[in-house]
Amino acid sequence: MSDQLKFIVEKLNKEPFKKNYNLITFDSLEPMQLLQVLNDVLAKIDPKHSVDIREEMPDQTAKRMLSVLGILKYKPPGNIGDMSVFRQGLVVGSKPVIHPVLFWLLQRTNELKKRAYLSRFLVRLEVPEEFLQDDVVSETNMQYEELMANFKIIHKECEQLKSSGFSTAEIRRDISAMEEEKDQLLKRVERLKKRVETVQNHQRMLEIARQLRVEKEREESLAQQKQEQKNQLFHAEQRLQRAQHQLKNMRHAAADAKPEGLMKRLEEEMKFHSYMVSEKLPKELESKQQTLHFLQKVVTEPAMGQADLTELEEKIHEVNLQINQLIENRMRNDPMDDKLSLFRQQAAIIARKKETKAEELQEAKEEIANIEREIAQKSTQARDIDGSEVLRGDEFKHYVSKLRFKSSVYKKKRQELAELSAENGVLQRTEEILKQRHENIQQQLQAIEQKKGILGYSDTQEELERVSALKSEVDEMKGRTLDDMSDMVKKLNSRIAEKKSALAPVIKELRPLRQRCQELTQEHDDKKVQYDSCAAGLESNRSKLEQEVRGLKEECSQAESQYNYINLMKRGVEIQIQRAADEMKAYVSPDPQDRRKAIREQYSRNILEQENLGKSIFLSAVNNRFRAVAHGMF
C-alpha cells in the first residue's frame, strides 16, 4: 500500500497535475477532496469530465465516474467484490476504493486517453427495438453503424501511418525537392515553347504529336484488352476441358455401375444421413446450446466476491456429500433387483460404438474429399506443366498397351542397331586390313623402283594420267563455253540496244526528277531530325507533366477525404452538443417532470432496476440449479 501511495503522490506532483503533495498531506485528504483529485485525473484523460464536484449531486458524480470507469474497462480489485460496496465507496470517497482507482489510472494515462477518445465514436448507442421499426430511425441507425465502421478503418490506417516511420521533416524535404523540380520543369517547358514557336507549322506538329500519343495509348489499351481476352479464352478452355473430363468420368461411372449397387449405396448414405440428422447432430446441438446458455448466464451475472465464492463452495460440498450417500445406498442394494441394468449397459456400449463409427465414417468422407481435391489440384498442375490431361480408366489401359507395343518395337530396333554396329565394326576392320596391304604393296613397289633407278615412276604416271583426263574435260568444257558465251553476247548486245533506244526519253525526264528527289530527301532528313528532337522533348515533358498531374490529383483526393472527414466530425460534434444541451436543459429544469425525462435519470433508474432484477434472477437460478441436481440424484 505504501508503494502504491508513493507512486500516486509522485505522479500527481508531476506534469500536468502539479499538486505538491506528500504522503502525509495526501493521506489526510478529506473524502470530497479525494474525489476532486480523482475527477481531475479523469478530466486529464477525458476533458468533458472537467467539472467541480461541489456543484454536482453525489449520486450524479458517482454515476458519471462509474460510467467513465466502465468505458475505460476498470475492474475493481479482488477484495472489493460487491459492486454495491464499490459504488458506495465511490460516493463517500472511501480511500480503499479511490486509491486503487488512482493507481490504475496513473499507470496507463496515455493508453486511457486513447481509449476515452475512441469511446466517443465507438460506444454504440442502444436504440430500443420498437424505435427501430420506424424507417427513418432504422436508416439513420444503419448510417450510424456504417460511419462507425468507417471510423474504425480510418483510425487503423492512421495508426499504421503513425507507426510506419515517416517523419514530417522527411516529407517536407521531399515536398521542397519536388517543388524545386517542378520549377525547373516549368522553366524548361517555357524554353522549349519558345524554341518550338520559331519552327514553322509548330501547331500542326504539336497536334500530330498529340494524336500520335493518343494512338499509342489506344494501341496499348487494345493490346491489354487483347491479352485479357486471350487469358479469358484460355481459362474458359480450361474450364471446358475440366467439365468435359468430369462429364466423361460421370458417364464412365454410370456405365460401370448397376442399379442394385446404386440403390444399396444410396440406402447406406440415406441411413447415415438420417442417423446424423435425427440422433448425432441434435445431441451435439443440445450440448452446445447448454454450454452457450451456461456461458451466457456466467457473463450476465455480476462480479462475485470472496464471500459468495465461499458460500457456493460450501453448497457444492454439501451436494457432493449427498451424491456420495446416494451412490453408497445404491451400491448396498442387490444388483439383481435391477434386471435391465445389463441391457442398459449393452445399449449404452452399442450407442457409443455407433457414435464412434459415425465419426470415423465422417472423418473418412472428409479425408476422401480432401484426397479428391488434392487429386484435382495435382491434375491441374500437371495440365499446366505439360498441357495434357491425366489419363484414367480405359484411356490409361490403351496408353499402357500402346506403350508396350512401342517398347517391343524399340527393343527390335535396338537389336537391329546392335547388329548393324557389329557389322560396321567388321567392315572398319576389313578397311584397315586393306589399307595396310595397300601400304605394304606401295612400299614394295617403291623398293623395286629404287632398285631399277626409276623412283617415283608409278606416282608420276598416275599423276600424268589424272592431269590428261582433267585437261581433256576442261578443253571440252571450254569449247562449249566459248560457243555459248558468243551467242549470249550477241543476244545481250541486241537487247541493250533495244533498251537504250526505249529508255532514252525516260532518262531525259528522270534527270530533273532525280535532282528534285535529292533536294526533297535532304529537306526530309532535316525535318525528320527536327521532328525527332521536338517529339523527344515533348514526350519527356508530357511524362513529367502527367506525373505532376497524378500527384496533384492524389493531393486533391486526400484533401477531399480530409474535408469530408472534418465535416463528418463537425456534424457528429454538433449533434452531441445539441443532445448535451437538451440533456442539460432537462436536467437543470426546475420542473420535476422535465428532470425525469432526462436520459441520465432514465438510465439511472434502469440500471438500478436491472441490478436488482439480475440479483433476483441469479439467486433463483442458483436455487433452481441445486433443486434440479438434488432431484436428479434422488
Side-chain angles (χ1 to χ4, degrees):
M1 183 62 71
S2 60
D3 295 335
Q4 190 179 67
L5 288 177
K6 287 179 182 179
F7 178 79
I8 295 170
V9 171
E10 183 180 356
K11 287 292 183 181
L12 291 175
N13 290 334
K14 293 181 179 179
E15 291 286 345
F17 304 104
K18 293 184 178 181
K19 295 294 184 180
N20 294 324
Y21 289 142
N22 54 34
L23 293 177
I24 297 172
T25 56
F26 180 75
D27 192 50
S28 61
L29 290 176
E30 296 294 331
M32 187 63 68
Q33 295 174 346
L34 194 59
L35 283 173
Q36 185 63 49
V37 171
L38 177 59
N39 189 78
D40 293 341
V41 175
L42 293 175
K44 293 298 180 183
I45 294 173
D46 192 355
K48 69 180 182 180
H49 296 283
S50 180
V51 295
D52 191 353
I53 62 172
R54 291 175 295 180
E55 299 177 358
E56 278 186 331
M57 296 296 291
D59 294 339
Q60 295 175 359
T61 304
K63 290 176 182 178
R64 179 170 57 81
M65 290 184 177
L66 282 172
S67 64
V68 69
L69 290 176
I71 291 172
L72 299 178
K73 296 182 180 179
Y74 172 73
K75 294 182 180 179
N79 57 353
I80 306 177
D82 194 356
M83 290 300 295
S84 61
V85 176
F86 178 74
R87 291 194 198 94
Q88 188 65 28
L90 195 61
V91 171
V92 300
S94 176
K95 292 180 182 179
V97 175
I98 303 297
H99 287 176
V101 177
L102 285 173
F103 181 73
W104 185 80
L105 292 174
L106 294 172
Q107 269 186 329
R108 44 183 68 83
T109 306
N110 295 327
E111 178 185 352
L112 296 177
K113 284 182 180 179
K114 181 178 178 182
R115 190 174 295 173
Y117 167 73
L118 294 176
S119 66
R120 288 186 290 173
F121 307 101
L122 298 182
V123 173
R124 190 179 299 277
L125 180 62
E126 298 295 336
V127 182
E129 292 293 334
E130 57 270 16
F131 293 162
L132 290 174
Q133 301 300 324
D134 189 2
D135 295 336
V136 178
V137 176
S138 177
E139 185 178 356
T140 306
N141 189 43
M142 290 177 64
Q143 293 178 0
Y144 167 69
E145 292 179 353
E146 290 176 359
L147 290 173
M148 189 179 292
N150 292 332
F151 174 78
K152 290 180 181 178
I153 297 170
I154 293 170
H155 179 71
K156 189 179 294 184
E157 292 177 356
C158 180
E159 291 296 327
Q160 290 176 357
L161 289 175
K162 287 181 180 178
S163 60
S164 60
F166 293 110
S167 62
T168 56
E170 293 179 357
I171 295 172
R172 287 175 181 172
R173 284 197 297 269
D174 293 340
I175 291 172
S176 60
M178 286 190 288
E179 287 178 352
E180 292 177 358
E181 188 176 357
K182 178 183 175 182
D183 296 335
Q184 293 176 1
L185 290 174
L186 290 174
K187 292 178 182 178
R188 188 174 180 182
V189 169
E190 292 295 331
R191 288 198 300 269
L192 288 174
K193 282 183 179 179
K194 292 179 181 178
R195 189 182 300 173
V196 170
E197 287 175 357
T198 58
V199 180
Q200 296 179 356
N201 299 327
H202 66 278
Q203 292 293 338
R204 185 170 176 275
M205 290 182 181
L206 289 174
E207 185 65 26
I208 293 170
R210 191 178 297 109
Q211 293 177 1
L212 177 62
R213 175 175 55 80
V214 171
E215 292 298 328
K216 284 184 178 180
E217 291 178 353
R218 185 169 175 270
E219 183 182 1
E220 290 178 357
S221 64
L222 290 174
Q224 187 176 2
Q225 291 178 4
K226 183 179 178 181
Q227 186 64 32
E228 290 176 357
Q229 290 178 358
K230 283 184 178 180
N231 294 332
Q232 291 176 1
L233 179 62
F234 176 71
H235 293 312
E237 289 177 353
Q238 284 186 342
R239 289 196 297 270
L240 178 62
Q241 290 178 0
R242 288 196 293 270
Q244 289 177 352
H245 184 65
Q246 291 177 359
L247 180 61
K248 186 177 180 181
N249 292 335
M250 293 175 68
R251 286 178 177 175
H252 182 69
D256 293 341
K258 294 181 180 180
E260 293 81 2
L262 291 174
M263 290 298 295
K264 186 176 181 181
R265 188 171 59 188
L266 290 174
E267 287 177 357
E268 290 177 354
E269 290 181 358
M270 187 177 67
K271 289 179 181 178
F272 172 72
H273 290 305
S274 62
Y275 167 72
M276 292 291 290
V277 171
S278 61
E279 296 184 14
K280 185 174 176 57
L281 293 178
K283 290 181 180 178
E284 293 181 356
L285 181 61
E286 186 179 358
S287 64
K288 297 293 183 183
Q289 287 178 351
Q290 290 178 356
T291 306
L292 178 62
H293 180 68
F294 178 72
L295 293 175
Q296 288 177 351
K297 185 185 293 185
V298 171
V299 170
T300 54
E301 290 177 357
M304 299 178 68
Q306 189 66 31
D308 297 332
L309 292 174
T310 306
E311 184 179 356
L312 287 176
E313 287 178 357
E314 291 176 356
K315 289 182 179 179
I316 291 169
H317 182 66
E318 292 176 359
V319 172
N320 287 330
L321 291 176
Q322 294 177 2
I323 291 170
N324 293 329
Q325 291 177 0
L326 291 173
I327 292 171
E328 290 176 358
N329 294 330
R330 186 176 179 182
M331 292 175 64
R332 291 195 192 98
N333 295 331
D334 190 2
M336 295 299 294
D337 294 340
D338 192 1
K339 296 180 180 180
L340 298 177
S341 61
L342 180 61
F343 298 104
R344 289 198 188 96
Q345 292 177 359
Q346 291 178 355
I349 292 170
I350 292 170
R352 284 196 296 271
K353 287 183 178 179
K354 191 175 181 181
E355 291 178 358
T356 304
K357 295 299 179 184
E359 291 176 357
E360 291 177 357
L361 180 60
Q362 188 69 22
E363 291 176 357
K365 285 188 176 182
E366 291 177 357
E367 186 176 359
I368 290 170
N370 293 330
I371 291 171
E372 288 179 352
R373 284 196 297 271
E374 187 175 356
I375 289 171
Q377 291 177 359
K378 297 295 183 182
S379 301
T380 307
Q381 292 176 2
R383 193 184 307 111
D384 294 337
I385 291 171
D386 57 3
S388 60
E389 295 285 342
V390 179
L391 302 177
R392 294 182 181 179
D394 296 336
E395 293 180 356
F396 183 74
K397 292 179 181 179
H398 179 68
Y399 174 75
V400 170
S401 62
K402 187 177 180 181
L403 187 63
R404 287 176 181 173
F405 174 73
K406 288 184 178 180
S407 178
S408 62
V409 172
Y410 168 74
K411 290 179 180 178
K412 289 180 182 179
K413 297 296 182 181
R414 189 173 62 180
Q415 187 176 0
E416 292 178 0
L417 183 62
E419 292 176 356
L420 290 173
S421 299
E423 187 175 356
N424 185 25
V426 173
L427 291 175
Q428 287 179 355
R429 180 61 181 164
T430 304
E431 184 182 3
E432 291 176 359
I433 292 170
L434 292 175
K435 285 182 179 180
Q436 190 175 3
R437 288 181 181 179
H438 177 70
E439 290 176 357
N440 294 331
I441 291 170
Q442 288 292 331
Q443 290 176 2
Q444 291 176 4
L445 181 61
Q446 289 177 1
I448 293 170
E449 288 176 353
Q450 190 175 5
K451 286 180 181 180
K452 299 296 184 179
I454 52 173
L455 183 63
Y457 174 76
S458 59
D459 296 335
T460 305
Q461 187 177 3
E462 290 178 358
E463 187 68 23
L464 288 173
E465 289 177 356
R466 188 174 63 80
V467 169
S468 61
L470 290 173
K471 184 176 179 300
S472 61
E473 291 178 359
V474 169
D475 292 339
E476 241 181 82
M477 290 174 66
K478 279 183 180 180
R480 289 196 301 271
T481 304
L482 288 173
D483 295 337
D484 295 337
M485 287 178 68
S486 61
D487 295 336
M488 188 178 294
V489 167
K490 291 178 181 179
K491 291 179 181 179
L492 289 173
N493 288 329
S494 62
R495 287 184 182 180
I496 289 169
E498 292 175 358
K499 295 293 182 181
K500 280 183 178 180
S501 60
L503 292 173
V506 177
I507 291 171
K508 289 180 181 180
E509 295 177 358
L510 185 62
R511 284 174 183 172
L513 294 175
R514 184 178 295 171
Q515 187 176 0
R516 178 63 179 165
C517 178
Q518 290 177 356
E519 294 175 357
L520 292 174
T521 303
Q522 183 65 29
E523 185 179 359
H524 173 266
D525 292 338
D526 296 338
K527 298 292 184 181
K528 187 177 181 182
V529 171
Q530 294 177 2
Y531 171 76
D532 291 338
S533 62
C534 181
L538 293 174
E539 183 67 23
S540 63
N541 292 333
R542 181 189 64 81
S543 62
K544 292 177 181 178
L545 289 173
E546 286 181 351
Q547 186 176 2
E548 182 181 354
V549 168
R550 283 196 295 271
L552 293 174
K553 284 183 178 179
E554 290 178 358
E555 291 179 1
C556 182
S557 63
Q558 290 177 1
E560 286 180 357
S561 63
Q562 188 176 4
Y563 172 74
N564 294 328
Y565 172 71
I566 291 170
N567 281 337
L568 290 175
M569 294 288 292
K570 179 183 175 184
R571 195 177 304 164
V573 170
E574 290 175 353
I575 292 170
Q576 290 181 357
I577 291 171
Q578 184 63 32
R579 289 179 58 191
D582 295 339
E583 177 68 16
M584 183 59 70
K585 184 178 179 181
Y587 187 72
V588 300
S589 177
D591 190 0
Q593 296 296 330
D594 293 338
R595 293 182 65 181
R596 289 181 63 85
K597 292 180 181 179
I599 297 174
R600 182 181 295 179
E601 293 293 335
Q602 294 177 8
Y603 280 161
S604 300
R605 290 195 299 271
N606 291 334
I607 289 170
L608 186 59
E609 291 174 0
Q610 293 298 325
E611 286 177 356
N612 296 329
L613 182 60
K615 288 181 181 180
S616 61
I617 291 172
F618 172 69
L619 293 175
S620 62
V622 170
N623 293 329
N624 292 333
R625 180 67 177 175
F626 284 125
R627 289 173 185 172
V629 171
H631 181 69
M633 299 310 301
F634 283 108

